């Protein structure tokens, strides 16, 4: 097995730097404790759209970008991770800077990240995207866990800290920024600002989840210090001209600190051209005003009106703002689905 540990680089790739059309293939190994002092990719930097990274049964852990983005992996090309763990990597920054992608930065519109039977856990960004920052590229996750990641910043810049698990940005007028889940658990992530599990913005950004669970995420909580501030979208918050599709997805146990009805502790979808399709899914048991002793049930905030469409049988506990009037509205129930805590129920991820 490969062992690439405790190296230091100034600019790119504390452990590995690949440029031009390089191919890096590792079957089994450990990439840990590497550092960049000024550049991106504490563990690995794939610094060209022609690069290819294949990791199988690899651990990428404890790497740091001290003054830039991508604590674990900086991917500008194509990265395929199979049964690989990206854990406890971190970005840092000077006061006033926004450092993104504690675990992975999927850097450009042409960047592709494929995660299969993998885990992105306990990474931290001194800004946005504690687990993954997707800057216009494509991220596909299958049977993967994205858990316990943190987005938090220094005092005065808390609002920059969004997307504890994932930040998804269209980043271009031509559209881009796509996250696809199949059999994914997005759980126990936190953002000091908004979007505890996921934050999405910009034209053309898309989030599509199937057979997945979004649970236990927290918006408005600084997991570094234990402090609270105003937070919206405990599970996720999608703004701008993008789209969200939830197909057989459960959104439960998420929290947000804002106390008003514009919170969306489960999820919030804002206007500006956004659409949402919810099919045979559950949003129930989420709480706003979560930093008080009297949290309030709050599952969905529908800002987009008739562009929120339901298909099949759905359970929505408490919905605020606009009524849901599009699609099979008669198929919405507010009955308690009697959900249990996350547990290993026979699949590759907890549900």
């Amino acid at each position: 097995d490969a062992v690439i540990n405790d190296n230091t680089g100034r600019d790119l790739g504390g452990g590995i730097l690949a440029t031009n059309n390089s191919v890096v293939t590792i079957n089994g190994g450990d990439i840990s404790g590497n550092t960049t002092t000024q550049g991106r990719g504490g563990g690995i930097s794939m610094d060209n759209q022609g690069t290819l990274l294949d990791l199988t049964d690899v651990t990428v852990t404890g790497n740091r970008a001290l003054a830039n983005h991508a604590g674990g992996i900086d991917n500008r090309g194509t990265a395929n991770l199979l049964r690989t763990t990206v854990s406890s990597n971190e970005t840092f920054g000077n006061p006033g800077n926004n450092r993104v992608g504690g675990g992975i930065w999927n850097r450009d519109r042409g960047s592709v990240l494929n995660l299969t039977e993998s885990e992105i856990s306990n990474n931290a960004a001194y800004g946005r995207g504690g687990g993954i920052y997707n800057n216009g590229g494509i991220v596909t996750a299958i049977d993967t866990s994205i858990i316990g990641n943190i987005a938090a910043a220094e005092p005065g810049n808390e609002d920059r800290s969004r997307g504890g698990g994932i930040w998804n940005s269209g980043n271009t007028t031509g559209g881009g920024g796509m996250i696809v889940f199949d059999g994914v658990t997005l759980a126990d992530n936190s953002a000091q600002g908004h979007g505890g599990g996921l934050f999405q913005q910009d034209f053309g950004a898309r989030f599509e989840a199937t057979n997945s669970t979004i649970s236990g995420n927290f918006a408005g909580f600084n997991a570094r210090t234990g402090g609270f501030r105003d937070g919206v979208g405990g599970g996720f918050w999608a703004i701008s001209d993008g789209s969200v599709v939830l197909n057989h997805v459960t959104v439960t146990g998420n929290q947000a600190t804002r106390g008003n009805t514009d919170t969306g502790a489960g999820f919030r979808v804002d206007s500006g051209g956004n659409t949402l399709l919810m099919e045979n899914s559950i949003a129930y048991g989420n709480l706003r005003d979560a930093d008080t002793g009297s949290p309030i049930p709050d599952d969905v905030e529908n800002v987009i009106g008739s562009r929120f469409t339901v298909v099949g049988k759905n359970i929505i506990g408490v919905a605020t703002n606009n009524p849901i009037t599009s699609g099979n509205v008669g198929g919405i129930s507010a009955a308690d689905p009697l959900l249990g805590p996350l547990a290993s129920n026979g699949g590759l991820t907890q549900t």
Side-chain angles (χ1 to χ4, degrees), residues 16 94 96 130 267 275 305 331:
I16 297 172
N94 299 318
F267 63 84
T275 62

Side-chain angles (χ1 to χ4, degrees), residues 119-130:
E119 180 179 302
I120 312 299
S121 61
N122 302 314
N123 303 285
Y126 207 79
R128 298 169 177 168

Side-chain angles (χ1 to χ4, degrees), residues 2-303:
V3 177
I4 303 171
N5 293 349
D6 302 322
N7 302 285
T8 300
R10 179 181 181 273
D11 293 320
L12 297 171
I16 297 172
L17 169 61
T19 60
N20 300 320
N21 295 317
S22 300
V23 175
V24 176
T25 301
I26 301 177
N27 293 308
D30 180 65
I31 302 169
S32 66
N34 302 288
T35 302
T36 55
T37 58
Q38 296 186 33
R40 301 180 293 270
I44 302 170
S45 179
M46 308 299 290
D47 192 41
N48 188 281
Q49 288 197 346
T51 57
L52 173 62
L53 175 67
D54 284 323
L55 300 180
T56 302
D57 298 316
V58 175
T59 298
V60 182
T61 185
N63 302 285
R64 303 180 300 164
L66 295 184
N68 215 304
H69 311 305
I73 300 172
D74 165 33
N75 176 50
R76 196 179 181 192
T78 296
N80 302 312
L81 278 59
L82 173 61
R83 296 188 304 273
T84 287
T85 297
V86 179
S87 179
S88 301
N89 304 284
E90 194 165 10
T91 66
F92 296 85
N94 299 318
N97 291 335
N98 177 42
R99 301 308 185 193
V100 307
I104 302 173
W105 183 24
N106 204 43
R107 199 196 308 179
D108 293 327
R109 188 179 178 190
S111 302
V112 176
L113 173 64
N114 297 312
L115 306 170
T116 305
E117 299 177 23
S118 292
E119 180 179 302
I120 312 299
S121 61
N122 302 314
N123 303 285
Y126 207 79
R128 298 169 177 168
I132 300 170
Y133 186 96
N134 184 41
N135 193 40
I138 298 173
V139 177
T140 301
I142 300 172
D143 296 329
T144 288
S145 297
I146 302 169
I147 55 177
N149 301 286
I150 299 169
E154 80 283 350
N157 289 281
E158 295 92 340
D159 194 53
R160 294 183 175 188
S161 301
R162 302 185 179 190
I166 299 176
W167 170 290
N168 184 37
S169 174
N171 192 41
T172 169
T173 56
M178 186 170 184
I179 305 289
V180 179
F181 283 179
D182 190 352
V184 169
T185 297
L186 180 69
D188 300 328
N189 303 285
S190 62
Q192 188 177 7
H194 307 305
L198 178 145
F199 184 86
Q200 174 170 288
Q201 72 169 34
D202 296 330
F203 176 81
R206 292 175 287 172
F207 171 44
E208 300 180 2
T210 302
N211 299 323
S212 295
T213 301
I214 301 172
S215 177
N217 303 288
F218 206 136
F221 176 60
N222 185 342
R224 293 178 189 264
T225 65
F228 296 95
R229 69 176 302 276
D230 181 59
V232 166
F236 67 84
W237 185 16
I239 66 174
S240 307
D241 297 294
S243 65
V244 176
V245 176
L246 305 176
N247 184 357
H248 291 86
V249 173
T250 299
V251 182
T252 187
N254 301 285
Q255 300 181 76
T257 54
R258 183 173 292 184
N260 301 324
T261 56
D262 62 345
T263 302
F267 63 84
R268 171 174 165 169
V269 183
D270 272 33
S271 54
N274 255 320
T275 62
L276 183 138
L277 173 64
M278 184 174 179
E279 181 173 359
N280 298 314
S281 294
I282 298 171
Y284 194 95
N286 305 281
L287 299 170
R288 61 180 162 93
D289 221 5
D291 56 333
T292 72
S294 302
I296 300 167
D298 184 87
D299 298 301
V300 173
E301 191 198 0
N302 174 24
V303 183

